[in-house]
Amino acid sequence: MNATLGSGPEPTPEPVRHEPAAPAHVPVRQRLAELRGPAVAPHPLDARALAALAANPGCERRTLLDGAGVNKAVLAQALGSPAAFGQSQFAFMRGNAFEARVKSDGGTELLRLLGVEDPSGALTPDVSAAGPEGRTARTALALREATAAKAWTLLDHPMLALEVAGTPAYLEPDAVVVHPDGHWTAVEIKSFPMLDGSADAAKVGAAARQAAVYVLALERVAAKVAGAEVGHRVLLVCPKDFSNLPTGAVVDVRKQLSVTRRQLARMRRIEDLAAALPEGTTFDPSSRSAQELAAAVESVDAAYAPECLAACELAFHCRERSREAGAVETLGRSVRGELGGLTTVEAVLDAAEGRAGDPADPTVAALRRAAALRAEALGAAAGAGV
Ligand code: SF4
């Protein structure tokens, strides 16, 4: 292994479906099918999307749409606000080609990056099975057997389940390695380069947030396996410098793990959100006009912030609505936090210019002081003929 990276703020694709498993959930499943359209298959949610969802737990709109398996890119298109968002086809293919290169020797190179001296003896159980539930069960069994075997084991594309807002999501990490001492390590393979042992902090951060989702899901499995322990340091594998050779770095995801755990716990249950919608609401573009879809989307509370532009397909639509409402959130979460109870740009201007607001309120006082300084600066500039 060549380096240890700290993690700043991105990721690989994996499938997730939303299918309540128990018979008691059947009505929820039907309701969610109505929301996305009875003939529409649930849009798979990958760990990157799950990490983005966890990053904005206050957005009930995204929670519901993702939980119902609505394809937000198609919905945004139907709303007339398509987002230039997501991984390009080229980047996707390059990522797949690099991952195939990393695993082309049966995983021995990958295990070497993890410090395994003789990877040729490692076990590589088959974790394929029919359907996500079958693959999840097969993965759990393979993890249990590998832990009991006390031998280096590489699971290629295992499948893990994680409950999100009351419904199971299925996640597929690039790999999981079981150490002889019962330690489990999640492996993330990315196609962005690692130059002289370091990589783009934003990309490493995003990969860390995604890996934290896998670690969380692995912990659910490990809790039922004697002697198993999930590592909070994951292996990030990237191309070395400008070559196609793989290199590895350990990334500590404890911080991302605690944030993701806390955020997912804060989400309202999808069935509660669905139950609060007006009768007949659907987000199916094939059966509703753009206006009807917009009304359906507006019926669920959103929590727009500029960060949505890099993380959610509905960002342009939500930004437009947020701007129309004059919401201060369009200026950023930090600005929103500074403005206390003033939630619209109009209210801020009224407070700053003395038309409204309690002068004893520190926020109002600060705004008036800023407005006075601005007027003074403009007056001085005008007096100087600038
Ligand atoms: S863009 Fe809209 S739906 Fe997506 S997370 Fe932001 S506020 Fe929520």
Side-chain angles (χ1 to χ4, degrees):
M1 198 182 316
N2 296 12
T4 299
L5 295 182
S7 51
E10 192 100 300
T12 305
E14 311 73 71
V16 180
R17 258 143 256 148
H18 304 272
E19 294 176 36
H25 288 171
V26 167
V28 180
R29 177 160 34 189
Q30 285 173 349
R31 184 70 182 114
L32 299 186
E34 286 166 16
L35 291 178
R36 67 176 175 267
V40 181
H43 185 65
L45 179 67
D46 60 26
R48 181 187 310 188
L50 204 49
L53 182 63
N56 191 2
C59 183
E60 297 184 346
R61 185 175 296 170
R62 178 166 188 158
T63 302
L64 179 67
L65 293 172
D66 280 351
V70 173
N71 187 328
K72 299 196 299 302
V74 172
L75 180 60
Q77 183 87 34
L79 287 165
S81 305
F85 176 80
Q87 205 174 24
S88 73
Q89 192 62 20
F90 173 72
F92 186 70
M93 288 170 62
R94 192 182 53 184
N96 281 349
F98 179 64
E99 183 178 339
R101 158 83 180 80
V102 171
K103 294 176 176 172
S104 62
D105 57 357
T108 55
E109 196 162 352
L110 195 157
L111 287 165
R112 245 184 227 113
L113 290 171
L114 207 49
V116 184
E117 284 176 9
D118 180 19
S120 59
L123 307 174
T124 54
D126 179 10
V127 288
S128 61
E133 291 93 345
R135 289 183 61 195
T136 303
R138 182 72 195 90
T139 295
L141 180 63
L143 285 166
R144 182 186 299 274
E145 289 175 348
T147 306
K150 299 186 186 301
W152 285 105
T153 306
L154 173 69
L155 275 68
D156 184 7
H157 282 284
M159 184 153 277
L160 305 165
L162 185 66
E163 188 170 289
V164 180
T167 57
Y170 296 96
L171 307 161
E172 189 179 0
D174 292 328
V176 172
V177 174
V178 178
H179 303 225
D181 64 358
H183 203 82
W184 300 356
T185 299
V187 178
E188 269 295 280
I189 302 175
K190 298 295 179 196
S191 59
F192 56 80
M194 205 176 285
L195 307 172
D196 290 333
S198 64
D200 183 311
K203 290 179 176 170
V204 173
R209 287 196 297 276
Q210 185 180 346
V213 173
Y214 298 138
V215 170
L216 206 53
L218 277 170
E219 285 183 338
R220 302 288 192 275
V221 185
K224 298 174 191 155
V225 178
E229 187 189 351
V230 183
H232 293 172
R233 289 153 61 90
V234 304
L235 177 65
L236 175 63
V237 180
C238 296
K240 184 173 170 24
D241 300 324
F242 297 104
S243 74
N244 201 26
L245 296 171
T247 187
V250 168
V251 180
D252 189 330
V253 299
R254 279 175 299 180
K255 188 171 149 220
Q256 291 80 1
L257 187 61
S258 72
V259 170
T260 305
R261 190 181 280 126
R262 192 171 64 242
Q263 305 290 57
L264 290 179
R266 277 181 56 195
M267 283 182 189
R268 275 188 69 190
R269 291 178 66 82
I270 289 164
E271 57 195 270
D272 296 338
L273 295 172
L277 292 173
E279 190 67 30
T281 299
T282 180
F283 304 100
D284 180 7
S286 68
S287 68
R288 293 290 187 273
S289 67
Q291 289 79 1
E292 288 169 326
L293 288 172
V297 167
E298 291 310 307
S299 69
V300 196
D301 286 343
Y304 176 78
E307 289 82 354
C308 292
L309 291 168
C312 183
E313 294 86 345
L314 284 176
F316 289 164
H317 173 84
C318 295
R319 181 177 65 174
E320 198 180 322
R321 294 305 164 109
S322 192
R323 282 178 175 169
E324 283 170 7
V328 292
E329 281 81 359
T330 54
L331 303 173
R333 288 197 177 110
S334 58
V335 177
R336 171 74 193 86
E338 296 283 335
L339 291 171
L342 302 172
T343 57
T344 65
V345 173
E346 191 180 356
V348 171
L349 291 175
D350 286 346
E353 292 164 12
R355 293 187 293 274
D358 178 0
D361 179 332
T363 305
V364 174
L367 285 169
R368 291 190 182 167
R369 173 87 183 123
L373 288 171
R374 178 174 180 274
E376 193 179 309
L378 289 176
V386 177

